Amino acid sequence: MTLIDAAPVPAPHTATDLPVVNSWNEWDPLEEVVVGRADGAWFEPTEPGHRPALRGPDRGQPFPTGPKAASTIARANEELDGLVALLESLGVTVRRPTVDGFGAPVATPAFTVENQYCAVCPRDVLITLGNQIVEATMSRRSRFFEYLPYRDLVRGYWNADPRVSWTAAPKPSMDAGMYRSEFFELSLDERHARMHDFEFCVTQDEVVFDAADITRMGRDVFVQESMTTNRAGIEWLRRELTPRGLRVHAVHFPLDFFPSHIDCTFVPLRPGLVLTNPDRPIRVAERAFFARNGWRFVDAPEPAYTDDEMPRHCQSSRWLSMNLLSVTPELVVCEERETRLHALLRGLGFEVVTVPFRHVYEFGGSLHCATWDVRRRGGCGEFFAPEEG
């Protein structure tokens, strides 16, 4: 297919500028962001770490294979382009990945998979931690090379400013031993019985994490243990980030049977305020940590879309309603139909701007997922007292 080029890489910095990569939290004023593209997307294949399934009346039927329809891609791109236009109207610099299609198989000495996926969700594979770019390991075979569409941009940021550091986490083997083959066969009751051990479809031996399982609150970084992030992955992040002055905390949501990515469950809005998922409360002891530090939790309202109204190929929950993007501590972008959420946020003092985004849902996420914030104005705040011991 035709190569879709990324936006030009940033110009070299001047000494008085903010670093070209600078983001310490989820809410400071946004200056530069990468927004994904739907071009060249294929249906995600069935593999040990993922069992895609149809929704609604088609549930139980075989999941499609091959490239996504041109009309499906066009609808998603229209919404992504609408987000780009909105952000640019707010003064945000937007860059895009370089896309060359995802139909090629992946083969390594440890595994093969028939095709790749897409480049809609940079949040899954890349995260900014201060002036450091971290490339995640990823947890699914079809996403092994998903960092490649962003490599020109990352290299450009790294070349433009010597204050920028760039770290790629160790690539996992993704061999059969990295997954629990029985996980998807367990009933919900059986899974709940095991939930206190937080053992999901990935085993604990190799370093595994998706960047979207991480949320940043200044010096404190919170990582969800999930289907896509294991304890070895959290420990790797702790060892990597502690020397840089950051504190890494594991968080858990015991009622989530398929936990994958924290940004539909636990969304910091500004210092002292977190939007939470009423179906997936945080573990009691971890809630107490936030309460001791003066943080308030506010439950998100019921999503606008029912399960049957979500796109039939979408593998995310309807709680994509929470997957908003903060542009400043006072302004957030939400999906247009989530009117109950808009009302809640306006009642909390936020300005809410909206865009249609439902057609992006089947590509793996919503507004937060489809963006990677490269630069926000501000430094590393401290919002939590150090714990003793």
Side-chain angles (χ1 to χ4, degrees):
M1 73 174 279
T2 302
L3 183 72
I4 307 252
D5 290 328
V9 296
H13 78 291
T14 60
T16 57
D17 287 342
L18 193 71
V20 298
V21 171
N22 184 84
S23 185
W24 297 92
N25 57 52
E26 305 290 341
W27 57 78
D28 272 346
L30 182 62
E31 295 191 341
E32 183 159 338
V33 69
V34 175
V35 175
R37 295 184 191 273
D39 304 88
W42 280 53
F43 286 105
E44 57 265 61
T46 296
E47 53 175 294
H50 186 55
R51 300 282 181 87
L54 292 171
R55 307 178 80 101
D58 296 321
R59 186 176 298 276
Q61 298 299 311
F63 195 76
T65 59
K68 288 183 179 286
S71 58
T72 300
I73 290 171
R75 287 192 296 265
N77 272 336
E78 182 179 6
E79 293 177 345
L80 290 162
D81 292 346
L83 174 61
V84 170
L86 171 64
L87 292 172
E88 290 179 338
S89 77
L90 296 170
V92 179
T93 297
V94 180
R95 303 189 191 277
R96 312 296 295 275
T98 301
V99 178
D100 194 20
F102 296 89
V106 176
T108 78
F111 72 86
T112 59
V113 67
E114 55 266 36
N115 61 265
Q116 300 170 67
Y117 184 32
C118 68
V120 170
C121 294
R123 184 77 57 172
D124 293 359
V125 69
L126 291 158
I127 187 165
T128 307
L129 293 155
N131 309 134
Q132 180 180 16
I133 299 169
V134 174
E135 288 182 12
T137 58
M138 305 302 289
S139 57
R140 284 160 43 187
R141 292 171 172 176
S142 60
R143 307 186 75 177
F144 191 87
F145 289 109
E146 200 164 309
Y147 62 88
L148 288 175
Y150 310 98
R151 264 293 168 87
D152 286 346
L153 286 169
V154 173
R155 190 180 298 111
Y157 292 127
W158 187 78
N159 284 329
D161 192 337
R163 295 169 292 181
V164 174
S165 64
W166 169 18
T167 305
K171 300 296 284 183
S173 71
M174 294 191 176
D175 65 12
M178 203 185 92
Y179 304 94
R180 290 187 177 84
S181 59
E182 79 283 2
F183 177 82
F184 291 99
E185 311 307 325
L186 296 174
S187 68
L188 290 182
D189 287 342
E190 290 172 316
R191 196 170 294 124
H192 189 263
R194 299 187 186 189
M195 194 62 74
H196 67 281
D197 292 324
F198 291 91
E199 298 287 356
F200 301 110
C201 64
V202 291
T203 56
Q204 300 294 344
D205 296 330
E206 299 195 46
V207 170
V208 179
F209 68 91
D210 282 9
D213 268 326
I214 304 169
T215 194
R216 305 151 301 161
M217 303 185 203
R219 186 176 174 185
D220 292 87
V221 176
F222 297 87
V223 189
Q224 175 184 223
E225 190 174 345
S226 74
M227 300 234 320
T228 52
T229 297
N230 65 5
R231 288 190 283 277
I234 296 172
E235 179 60 20
W236 184 89
L237 286 162
R238 182 175 289 115
R239 295 189 198 184
E240 173 65 29
L241 299 178
T242 297
R244 296 176 175 269
L246 301 180
R247 297 182 292 239
V248 175
H249 311 264
V251 288
H252 305 82
F253 302 90
L255 298 185
D256 190 353
F257 294 113
F258 295 95
S260 178
H261 302 167
I262 198 170
D263 50 5
C264 292
T265 300
F266 195 79
V267 180
L269 295 171
R270 64 184 178 220
L273 183 64
V274 180
L275 183 69
T276 52
N277 188 321
D279 285 356
R280 307 170 187 169
I282 196 170
R283 193 153 65 177
V284 171
E286 294 161 3
R287 183 185 182 100
F289 171 76
F290 282 88
R292 287 195 300 273
N293 285 278
W295 285 73
R296 175 188 176 195
F297 289 1
V298 177
D299 277 349
E302 188 73 6
Y305 296 100
T306 67
D307 278 330
D308 286 344
E309 290 174 319
M310 296 288 282
R312 65 195 289 264
H313 300 129
C314 174
Q315 301 304 294
S316 303
S317 83
R318 62 199 187 101
W319 289 104
L320 283 177
S321 60
M322 296 176 60
N323 199 250
L324 55 82
L325 176 66
S326 292
V327 178
T328 75
E330 298 83 29
L331 189 152
V332 295
V333 185
C334 295
E335 206 281 331
E336 66 173 1
R337 275 190 54 184
E338 297 296 341
T339 54
R340 285 185 286 266
L341 179 60
H342 307 165
L344 172 71
L345 294 170
R346 288 177 177 132
L348 292 168
F350 291 94
E351 179 182 354
V352 178
V353 292
T354 69
V355 290
F357 226 63
R358 179 183 174 275
H359 292 107
V360 178
Y361 283 7
E362 82 161 71
F363 294 79
S366 188
L367 294 154
H368 193 256
C369 300
T371 55
W372 162 38
D373 55 331
V374 174
R375 188 171 67 253
R376 291 180 181 270
R377 192 163 62 249
C380 181
E382 186 150 1
F383 306 101
F384 299 86
E387 294 283 280
E388 296 182 1

